[in-house]
Amino acid sequence: MTSKAAAAISALQQALTAEQAASYGYGVVGAHLPAGSAAAAAAYADWVAHLQAGDQLTEMISARGGQPAAAAVAYELPFPVTSAATAQRLAATMEDRVAAAYLVVVALPAAGLRSYGAQQVRAAALRAQSWRGSTEAFPGMSAGALRR
Amino acid sequence: MRDETRLGDARPGALAGPSRRVVLAAASAALPVLLTACKGVQALGTPPPPPRDIRVLRAAITAEELMVARYAAAATRLSASPGGLLAAVRAVQAEHSAHLGQLRSALIEPTGAPTPSAPRAPAISAGTGVTGVLGALEQAEQDASRRLLGQLDGLPAPLAQLFASVAASEATHVPFLQRAQAAAS
């Protein structure tokens, strides 16, 4: 395996890990939203989007000779989720992390992967905006990556 | 035993850090000076065009300057609108200013290089209503996001990441403005 292929698999694996975590997290989110509400429907739609993205990443990793990592059985939440408000905050936080993971894919030199990563950063940012109700200047980028 | 993992533990190890600043010195601008010193003016040919990544970055900076100017004009036009709507426009304008700052910091021009004047936003006619003003901003945001996403190929990785992040941010401005307008009406 070439170093480029290994780098691609590593980046895709990071994105897959983030997608798997988000898929788990949306189960928590949905459980704290009123049944039948628009927010619950949005959580379901976003959960499906993450499942599909995970499947796609699994295929992409396998196609490159990699071994996709299995999802964990459970994930530690970044903060207690006890209400609809904290559930929505969790959704936005997960989307931020998904965007960050896909920015690693954007760093790859292959045009197709770079474009794919950028589209996914955009999708995650849009979902984060819908949960948060506000926008971010630099979705997915850490403060340390930005010039002061 | 449960296999427990911290949620979202995928840390983006390849993210550009401050030590990996994109240094895009516009060396081509300095080349004629060096040649002049060595062989005289007659030896000069046409300066080579700047590399593609520099041209793309300069274009992105110009586009972002135009976006800041658009929002400034829109804020003036909407100054009498409900407070929430104006606040939303100003919030987005602040993000565009932040985009502009990051893009500019990625470009190092040689000392003495001419600084192009900032572009002027298209005038908003007095008869344009709130819907028209916001619709124009939303269209500009969509165009800008699409343009940035179409320019990623061949860019240095840190610059590609910055472009992708800015493109994502600009895409989110559309539903944000729509929500602000709905709340104000």
Side-chain angles (χ1 to χ4, degrees), chain A residues 57-137:
Chain A
L57 286 163
T58 296
E59 289 179 11
M60 294 167 76
I61 292 168
S62 297
R64 287 166 173 77
Q67 178 65 46
V73 174
Y75 294 81
E76 183 182 338
L77 300 180
F79 48 81
V81 177
T82 57
S83 63
T86 52
Q88 294 191 20
R89 187 155 67 92
L90 174 62
T93 300
M94 291 188 303
E95 297 296 354
D96 291 344
R97 294 179 177 186
V98 167
Y102 277 109
L103 272 186
V104 180
V105 178
V106 172
L108 297 170
L113 288 175
R114 180 169 282 189
S115 176
Y116 168 75
Q119 294 291 346
Q120 294 294 77
V121 172
R122 180 179 180 276
L126 285 165
R127 289 189 294 261
Q129 187 275 331
S130 73
W131 288 113
R132 189 176 281 121
S134 61
T135 59
E136 299 280 318

Side-chain angles (χ1 to χ4, degrees), chain A residues 14 17-18 21 72-78 90 94 97 100 103-104 106-107 111 114 118-119 121-122 125-126 129-130 133-142 144-147, chain B residues 2-8 10-18 21 95 98-99 102 105 145 149 152-155 157 160-162 164-166 168-169 171-173 175-176 179:
Chain A
Q14 287 188 58
T17 301
V73 174
Y75 294 81
E76 183 182 338
L77 300 180
L90 174 62
M94 291 188 303
R97 294 179 177 186
L103 272 186
V104 180
V106 172
R114 180 169 282 189
Q119 294 291 346
V121 172
R122 180 179 180 276
L126 285 165
Q129 187 275 331
S130 73
S134 61
T135 59
E136 299 280 318
F138 299 100
M141 295 193 81
S142 66
L146 298 170
R147 296 287 302 170
Chain B
R2 281 155 62 98
D3 178 13
E4 191 165 291
T5 302
R6 189 176 297 276
L7 184 65
R11 294 295 173 193
L15 267 184
R21 180 181 184 187
E95 291 192 352
H99 297 165
Q102 289 299 316
S105 76
S145 181
L149 290 180
L152 299 177
D153 189 20
L155 294 182
Q161 290 177 314
L162 179 59
S165 183
V166 169
S169 174
T172 66
H173 292 161
F176 179 71
R179 182 182 286 199

